[in-house]
Amino acid sequence: MILLEVNGLKKAFGSRKAVNGASFTVRRGEVFGLLGPNGAGKSTTISLICGVLKANAGSVVVDGFSVGTDGANAKKRIGIVPQEPALYPTLSARANLRFWGTINDVPADELEEAVNYVLQVVGLVDRADEKIAKFSGGMKRRLNIAAGLIHSPKLLIMDEPTVGIDPQSRNHILETVKNLKDKDITVIYTSHYVEEVEYLCDRVAVMDNGEIIAEGTLPELLEQGSQFQELTISVDTIPDEIENAIQALPHAEEVIVQNEQLKLVTSNAEKLLPSAFAAIIGLGGTVSEIKIHKPNLESLFLKLTGKALRD
Amino acid sequence: MRKTWAIVMVGVRQVLADPAYLMFLVGLPVMMTWMMSFLPVEVYEMAILGVLVMFVGLNVITSAGGYILGEKQTGTWQRMLASTTTYWHIMAGYFIRLFVMATAQSLILLLSGKYLFGAPWDHGFLATIVVLMVYIFAMTGLALFLAGFLKSQEQVQAVAMGVVMVGTMLGGIFFQIDDPSFVIKLIATVSPQSWAANALRDVLTLGVGVSSLLTPMLWMTAIGTILLIGGVMKLQTEG
Ligand SMILES: Nc1ncnc2c1ncn2[C@@H]1O[C@H](COP(=O)(O)OP(=O)(O)O)[C@@H](O)[C@H]1O
Ligand SMILES: [Mg+2]
């Protein structure tokens, strides 16, 4: 059963096409990953889905309600966790949640209960009455999630909820998302971290340059990328011409040079590795480490776009 | 209505948590009023009302721009728009918040002018309140209208200074302009600051009644209303 249908969505800022014909569907009860590098158009897509920005073209339908023509009904079903915590720093956690509950139409007589419930979901019950200006980055991000859940939305859209926080808070957030499944909440999880998406998501859309370049279940996508392997070769002082030299070798699908490392996508590691090795040595490089990765979303992305997800 | 009220209360709590802002809101103008009280009495009372209308204007325009830009920066603005809250709820919340703050500020300045610094006012307090409400209404409308067009805090500061200083100084409040040109006369006629300061003086010292100020008050109210609606409509075209 489909909960969200995005079709041919377009949004330009001046001449910059931030979202350029994106289409995907999210099914009820799943954790749906929206994976893409910085600038891919993920946040813009989210703003279009929840009606904060108006699309230039395309449609968004949430639970049967079109965001364009029946915004109020569509918006009621969506909870949003913005990329940067959107909260009032001089207020307490509880006061923030009461405010967002009221703004999201939680009835007055259910507000306290709703606030206590979401505080418990994100594990902030004992810090509820402190001003959030004193909170750590991780705690603010958890409260940011609580604010998105306050009106019991059917669809929670999370925009890179773990960027720039400590590992402990990150794990806490990942476990919170896992647990949302049992609460019958569908989640869109936006990230540029492959590991998180692989760990959490049932289905994934891969986004680049405002377009969805692949969509499917995790096994389907890994299957699509399975004829490819990713190699990482660490080289001391990378020779300038190395990228072209390796690109010219048989079985080299993609080559990128990134912080003293060569990342290669290949259809045949056994054949490419010796010739790549020879090419590096021939150009005066010294290899310090070689890794062969099993197929993952990173290698699929590299293959599809010729770019790394992260820089 | 519940939403609008929540927006007002969050705003008021933020103001109370910000000592620097309270200083700008109340401390600075009270000090200016005190300084004006050393002027000869003929110019003093007009100067004190000039300080009042000037600071209320500055406060309302910088606050309106500052709140909206600030909320856009932290993302609470977008978060409100992602809910079923409309621009009308949000702007009504801002309007009430600005109106309440400007009223509190004006009363503190009027009362301190009279009781601390000896301004010679002894009648027309009711009429004073009415004139002030109309002035604050018009300025709040103007402020929220301008806020929709401003893109940075620097622009907010510049526009607030521009609008209020031109309106106050060239409006002939602090000093009479001899032999004014057409432009200066025009500014003195349309400037809400000039109108409010003169109306307040007429009310407070000459005891002029509200009824003789009815036409300009209706004008000010109409302009405030039009700007307010225009401001919401401008915001609705965003995105
Ligand atoms: N308000 C805006 N004005 C102009 N350009 C924007 C705006 N928002 C995003 N962009 C541009 O659109 C592209 C996509 O941005 P974004 O949706 O934030 O990507 P992501 O969230 O995937 O990192 C980027 O090139 C970004 O610079
Ligand atoms: Mg983003």
Side-chain angles (χ1 to χ4, degrees):
Chain A
M1 163 120 194
I2 287 170
L3 183 62
L4 171 72
E5 190 160 8
V6 173
N7 215 324
L9 208 54
K10 287 191 183 178
K11 178 72 184 179
F13 299 105
S15 63
R16 170 137 210 97
K17 291 175 179 165
V19 178
N20 195 13
S23 304
F24 56 90
T25 51
V26 177
R27 295 167 200 174
R28 191 176 299 264
E30 70 184 3
V31 178
F32 183 87
L34 188 56
L35 179 71
N38 282 328
K42 306 183 296 295
S43 297
T44 307
T45 303
I46 291 177
S47 297
L48 294 168
I49 293 174
C50 59
V52 172
L53 292 176
K54 292 185 193 82
N56 301 131
S59 67
V60 176
V61 178
V62 187
D63 204 19
F65 297 100
S66 161
V67 171
T69 57
D70 198 354
N73 272 313
K75 284 171 167 189
K76 272 182 200 160
R77 288 160 171 79
I78 301 176
I80 175 163
V81 181
Q83 191 160 347
E84 292 304 321
L87 302 162
Y88 295 102
T90 52
L91 304 187
S92 70
R94 188 179 292 281
N96 267 285
L97 292 174
R98 281 192 190 127
F99 175 76
W100 292 113
T102 307
I103 287 298
N104 283 287
D105 299 302
V106 176
D109 56 343
E110 293 169 22
L111 191 56
E112 266 336 283
E113 198 185 330
V115 167
N116 289 328
Y117 175 70
V118 295
L119 280 168
Q120 180 222 316
V121 169
V122 299
L124 284 174
V125 174
D126 41 337
R127 310 294 296 270
D129 297 307
E130 291 175 35
K131 275 197 180 137
I132 65 164
K134 290 187 288 179
F135 280 15
S136 70
M139 285 164 67
K140 280 183 198 154
R141 285 189 173 268
R142 276 149 63 185
L143 187 64
N144 199 30
I145 296 174
L149 288 169
I150 189 75
H151 57 300
S152 320
K154 289 188 174 177
L155 175 65
L156 185 70
I157 307 181
M158 308 177 83
D159 195 355
E160 311 221 28
T162 60
V163 169
I165 57 172
D166 59 286
Q168 207 185 340
S169 294
R170 183 180 186 209
N171 287 339
H172 193 288
I173 288 175
L174 294 181
E175 290 319 304
T176 306
V177 176
K178 277 251 170 205
N179 293 335
L180 289 178
K181 270 191 104 129
D182 309 331
K183 300 178 170 63
D184 195 30
I185 294 173
T186 306
V187 176
I188 297 181
Y189 191 93
T190 294
S191 182
H192 64 275
Y193 296 123
V194 164
E195 322 84 72
E196 289 184 357
V197 170
E198 290 189 344
Y199 175 67
L200 289 173
C201 300
D202 305 301
R203 287 193 328 114
V204 181
V206 183
M207 189 164 200
D208 187 44
N209 279 331
E211 291 173 39
I212 304 294
I213 53 176
E215 183 187 348
T217 63
L218 204 48
E220 280 165 7
L221 290 179
L222 293 179
E223 172 65 31
Q224 232 187 82
S226 71
Q227 72 264 45
F228 303 108
Q229 279 173 298
E230 190 189 335
L231 301 175
T232 313
I233 307 180
S234 305
V235 183
D236 301 330
T237 57
I238 297 187
D240 295 336
E241 321 82 72
I242 196 71
E243 199 168 334
N244 293 333
I246 295 186
Q247 191 79 66
L249 297 172
H251 307 293
E253 300 285 336
E254 291 291 344
V255 183
I256 56 171
V257 180
Q258 197 176 53
N259 344 308
E260 306 293 290
Q261 285 188 330
L262 293 169
K263 289 192 172 206
L264 315 183
V265 177
T266 172
S267 48
N268 191 333
E270 286 84 27
K271 293 239 171 76
L272 177 63
L273 201 48
S275 47
F277 201 89
I280 294 167
I281 305 292
L283 288 168
T286 328
V287 174
S288 59
E289 194 181 6
I290 296 177
K291 277 189 198 150
I292 303 178
H293 309 274
K294 64 175 191 214
N296 64 9
L297 287 177
E298 178 94 47
S299 47
L300 175 70
F301 187 82
L302 205 60
K303 168 62 192 120
L304 289 173
T305 66
K307 294 188 299 195
L309 266 167
R310 269 178 269 173
D311 29 50
Chain B
M1 202 57 231
R2 245 182 99 217
K3 293 183 183 184
T4 293
W5 188 242
I7 292 168
V8 173
M9 289 318 290
V10 160
V12 169
R13 289 168 76 167
Q14 278 174 288
V15 169
L16 295 180
D18 187 350
Y21 188 70
L22 285 176
M23 188 62 210
F24 164 73
L25 200 65
V26 181
L28 202 59
V30 167
M31 224 156 68
M32 292 275 289
T33 308
W34 174 62
M35 278 157 48
M36 295 297 164
S37 73
F38 294 104
L39 292 171
V41 74
E42 316 87 70
V43 281
Y44 161 54
E45 61 169 325
M46 196 58 188
I48 211 170
L49 293 171
V51 166
L52 189 153
V53 294
M54 186 172 83
F55 270 90
V56 167
L58 277 177
N59 162 29
V60 171
I61 297 181
T62 48
S63 301
Y67 302 157
I68 293 183
L69 286 173
E71 298 227 45
K72 282 181 179 172
Q73 265 155 22
T74 53
T76 46
W77 179 264
Q78 292 84 341
R79 190 169 222 161
M80 282 195 264
L81 293 180
S83 73
T84 53
T85 309
T86 63
Y87 283 109
W88 295 104
H89 290 116
I90 298 175
M91 291 295 262
Y94 281 144
F95 178 82
I96 295 171
R97 170 179 171 184
L98 290 167
F99 195 91
V100 167
M101 274 182 4
T103 305
Q105 185 189 30
S106 312
L107 288 181
I108 290 172
L109 290 179
L110 272 182
L111 293 176
S112 64
K114 178 168 166 65
Y115 292 106
L116 295 180
F117 311 123
W121 303 324
D122 33 20
H123 32 221
F125 273 99
L126 192 68
T128 303
I129 303 282
V130 176
V131 172
L132 269 178
M133 296 289 110
V134 171
Y135 173 64
I136 293 172
F137 180 87
M139 286 309 288
T140 308
L142 176 64
L144 286 172
F145 178 76
L146 290 174
F149 293 90
L150 302 176
K151 299 277 177 268
S152 70
Q153 302 285 3
E154 290 75 23
Q155 286 181 7
V156 171
Q157 299 296 338
V159 166
M161 280 309 217
V163 169
V164 175
M165 289 303 166
V166 169
T168 315
M169 298 301 169
L170 300 185
I173 296 175
F174 287 109
F175 42 86
Q176 219 60 51
I177 296 172
D178 295 328
D179 198 11
S181 69
F182 172 73
V183 177
I184 304 256
K185 268 190 210 151
L186 184 72
I187 289 172
T189 316
V190 299
S191 150
Q193 283 81 23
S194 172
W195 170 76
N198 284 303
L200 284 174
R201 196 226 3 232
D202 292 351
V203 164
L204 284 167
T205 49
L206 307 179
V208 168
V210 179
S211 49
S212 59
L213 296 168
L214 219 50
T215 315
M217 290 202 303
L218 285 177
W219 266 113
M220 289 281 153
T221 312
I223 290 169
T225 310
I226 291 167
L227 288 173
L228 211 52
I229 293 171
V232 176
M233 294 191 3
K234 161 71 180 72
L235 288 173
Q236 275 173 338
T237 64
E238 275 184 2

